[in-house]
Amino acid sequence: MDVTVFSTKAYDRRFLDEANAAKGAPHRMRYLDVRLTEESALLAAGTSAICAFVNDVLDRPVLTRLAAGGTKMLALRSAGFNHVDLAAANELGIAVGRVPAYSPDAVAEHTVGLILTLNRKIHRAYARVREGNFALEGLLGFDLKGRTAGVVGAGKIGTAVARILAGFGCRILVHDPAPTPEICVAGAEIVDLQTLLASSDIVTLHCPLTPETRHLIDGNALSLVKRGVMLINTGRGALVDTRALIEGLKTGVIGYLGLDVYEEEGDLFFENLSDEILQDDLFARLLTFPNVLITGHQAFFTVEAMTAIAATTIDNLTCFEKDQRPRHPVVASARSSAVGGSGNG
Ligand code: NAI
């Protein structure tokens, strides 16, 4: 099948080419580095399938243009599909496939990396030592053992985070309307969100973005947390209200902030913008705090996850070509696809 692949980098091409070759190269991949927008949708004309990533635009106008050009299938290289107008896709006869799970451990391990870095201030120590500054003032951390970690959303990733943090000797609190059975094995206590916020030294977000979870952490939620809390978001940018976070950082309510996602990341992440003037004032303000650590949506980015994403994407395309249905179709009632779909990644 001919496939136009949007938003690709060299690493996407490498893993997709390997996965395609492993199956005898059934698909002809046309790689584009541009993001999918209403304008760039024209570039897919004549190909039966397109492949898209998390910051591609997949609203009704784009899907209409794709359908007019002959697109019959959309293969998402992500678990999340909150950026897809599923009703429009359905009406236009475009089947949507996704990668429901690739490596929860990749995201969980990055999450714990943010926690350890922020706590022991490794990001600051790295810069200091390179400048010949070996002073310890300002680098004081705390033992994770005995601390309380609150995991919001205990699906695949949240469960993996809970397991790792339990290994450090943390007490684990979980808030999830439908926790996995495995979370109980991790020795976690299931509590309501208020209790979790009031009792946790570390709060880490792993629920999908839905209308209910948008700005889950806002000024009101921050009025409940322990002063100096560590807040980690590797879930989805809009789970937090960035303005409220900045206020929380200024007043010391938030003692540490680790982000891998940002509400307006579509204009920033995955690109080298180092020669440009940053236009996003909220993002710029976040970067001024010494106790804020931001990574650019890289939590998923491991060899294992990229291999799994590519293999599942090729499989989705092959199944669609054979049976007119991807192996992993987007089903609105799926566990991870509460209203609005799951988040990025
Ligand atoms: P999952 O579907 O296995 O788990 C999500 C859990 O959240 C479920 O147990 C669900 O019951 C729970 N949940 C739903 N609404 C909730 C609420 N209001 N409060 C608390 N919990 C709630 O999803 P998975 O694979 O663990 O991924 C979680 C999220 O991580 C994704 O939705 C995505 O946004 C993000 N993600 C980020 C990546 C990155 O690179 N930064 C990569 C992959 C995923």
Side-chain angles (χ1 to χ4, degrees), residues 53 78-80 82 98 100-104 106-107 110-111 151-159 175-180 193 205-210 212-213 216 233-237 239 260-261 265 270 297-301 334-338 341-345:
F53 198 44
S78 59
N82 57 286
R98 67 176 182 133
Y102 31 95
S103 173
V107 184
H110 188 80
T111 302
V151 178
V152 181
K156 293 178 282 295
I157 295 169
T159 300
H175 171 65
D176 190 319
T180 57
L193 185 60
L205 308 179
H206 303 290
C207 54
L209 177 64
T210 66
E212 294 77 45
T213 61
L216 185 80
N233 185 13
T234 61
R236 180 79 166 96
L239 292 175
D260 186 55
V261 285
E265 69 178 51
F270 307 128
H297 206 138
Q298 70 171 83
F300 73 97
F301 196 50
R335 176 187 164 78
S336 59
S337 60
S342 69
N344 272 358

Side-chain angles (χ1 to χ4, degrees), residues 242-243 246 250 262 264 267-268 277-289 294:
T242 307
R243 286 176 197 278
I246 290 172
K250 283 163 73 177
Y262 176 61
E264 303 301 328
D267 294 331
L268 298 171
I277 304 296
L278 184 55
Q279 299 296 326
D280 185 324
D281 291 348
L282 285 184
F283 193 79
R285 183 67 177 101
L286 283 175
L287 295 178
T288 65
F289 295 99
I294 304 178

